[in-house]
Amino acid sequence: MALLPIGLQLYTLRDYTETDMAGTLRRVAALGFEMVEFAGYGGLSASELNAVLKETGLVPLSAHVPYDQLKQGLDEQIRYAKEIGLGYLIFPYVDPELLKTEEGVASLVRDLTEMGHKIKEAGLDFCYHNHDAELGTVGGELILDRIYRLVEPELLQAELDLYWVKKAGLDPYHYLLSYPGHVPIVHLKDMTDDEEGFFAEVGHGSMDFPALLGAASEAGVRYLLVEQDQCRRSPWESIEMSLNYLRSIGAAKPLT
């Protein structure tokens, strides 16, 4: 089983980060998370955010940046990312309508390639975060496979979200193993064991995390990030349950 650093994707706490990023980060650190992935910066300047990160000791790993901001304001996104010490910029979501045609996928591939070159030149890594739409097919090929086949690996890596792989009807264990050395970051969330297949806290649903973490180790994953898109309890309670479960099975490794 993987023994890896565990962080938090702050999208789970979006209702809090939008109004009080500093207070949210302090509470995240108090729960025991050591690193974070941003989904917006709460209106803070880079210097303001740096001060909070220094105070809390949280490591800024990565950030989800919307497609339009990557396409229209990439230079500014790179500048901010470097100022706060990020290692990765993440492409987080694409409108599923774009993925329904060969032309749409081709335009996405062109954009990802162009972005990847600029991000690499800046000394950062670029990853693609999937949902289930990318695991449909176009031209008889899984869309996500086509993206990773056509965009050079040094320009684009995978931030694989295992929940969405399963939601698409694939086996996340074997899909993760199909990309050895190409998946530096994995998103962890669980799935309820019913027809709805709703989001659940890690270790409190239907997914076999000891096996999945073993696959992560074998595939060369470097970081694990807890994320829960929607919670049926307080998101604070949800992320604490997920972290406690990962600790209980011995999956957590300190960053130091």
Side-chain angles (χ1 to χ4, degrees):
M1 182 173 63
L3 186 65
L4 295 168
I6 297 171
L8 178 68
Q9 201 336 317
L10 290 167
Y11 180 76
T12 308
L13 301 174
R14 57 195 176 276
D15 292 341
Y16 303 91
T17 57
E18 289 175 2
T19 58
D20 185 11
M21 174 64 80
T24 302
L25 291 175
R26 292 184 185 106
R27 191 169 173 183
V28 167
L31 285 176
F33 287 98
E34 292 189 274
M35 63 183 176
V36 290
E37 178 174 80
F38 291 95
Y41 302 113
L44 299 184
S45 67
S47 61
E48 290 171 330
L49 188 51
N50 272 329
V52 181
L53 292 169
K54 183 177 180 180
E55 173 197 334
T56 60
L58 287 168
V59 174
L61 176 69
S62 48
H64 279 200
V65 182
Y67 193 172
D68 60 340
Q69 294 180 31
L70 287 169
K71 192 168 183 178
Q72 299 167 15
L74 183 55
D75 289 341
E76 174 59 21
Q77 293 297 331
I78 289 172
R79 182 197 64 77
Y80 192 104
K82 294 188 75 171
E83 283 192 28
I84 66 169
L86 297 182
Y88 299 85
L89 285 177
I90 313 294
F91 186 102
Y93 175 79
V94 64
D95 184 343
E97 290 297 315
L98 188 69
L99 304 176
K100 291 183 176 179
T101 65
E102 296 269 5
E103 295 77 11
V105 174
S107 70
L108 175 61
V109 165
R110 286 193 296 272
D111 284 342
L112 292 169
T113 301
E114 181 178 347
M115 294 168 186
H117 277 292
K118 294 189 77 171
I119 291 169
K120 180 185 178 184
E121 288 169 4
L124 301 172
D125 288 314
F126 190 33
C127 293
Y128 189 99
H129 171 267
N130 65 282
H131 291 80
D132 54 346
E134 292 91 345
L135 293 158
T137 60
V138 65
E141 182 179 20
L142 285 179
I143 296 164
L144 195 58
D145 288 348
R146 178 172 294 193
I147 290 170
Y148 291 135
R149 177 172 61 81
L150 295 178
V151 184
E152 297 176 22
E154 59 267 27
L155 301 181
L156 186 70
Q157 300 177 74
E159 180 180 71
L160 202 62
D161 190 306
L162 302 180
Y163 170 94
W164 288 112
V165 174
K166 182 173 181 177
K167 191 72 169 178
L170 279 70
D171 180 348
Y173 178 90
H174 288 103
Y175 196 76
L176 177 55
L177 288 176
S178 72
Y179 281 99
H182 197 67
V183 187
I185 308 172
V186 162
H187 271 198
L188 303 181
K189 67 192 74 162
D190 215 330
M191 181 182 292
T192 58
D193 190 13
D194 54 28
E195 290 186 4
E196 184 179 10
F198 193 69
F199 307 103
E201 293 74 21
V202 178
H204 297 268
S206 60
M207 297 176 71
D208 184 354
F209 279 99
L212 289 171
L213 295 176
S217 181
E218 188 174 340
V221 172
R222 299 180 62 195
Y223 306 103
L224 304 173
L225 294 176
V226 169
E227 182 194 34
Q228 195 165 328
D229 303 41
Q230 298 177 49
C231 305
R232 287 176 168 162
R233 50 173 52 87
S234 162
W236 290 106
E237 184 180 356
S238 289
I239 63 173
E240 187 171 13
M241 288 171 63
S242 292
L243 181 59
N244 286 343
Y245 168 77
L246 291 166
R247 286 172 167 167
S248 76
I249 62 171
K253 175 184 177 182
L255 277 168
T256 53

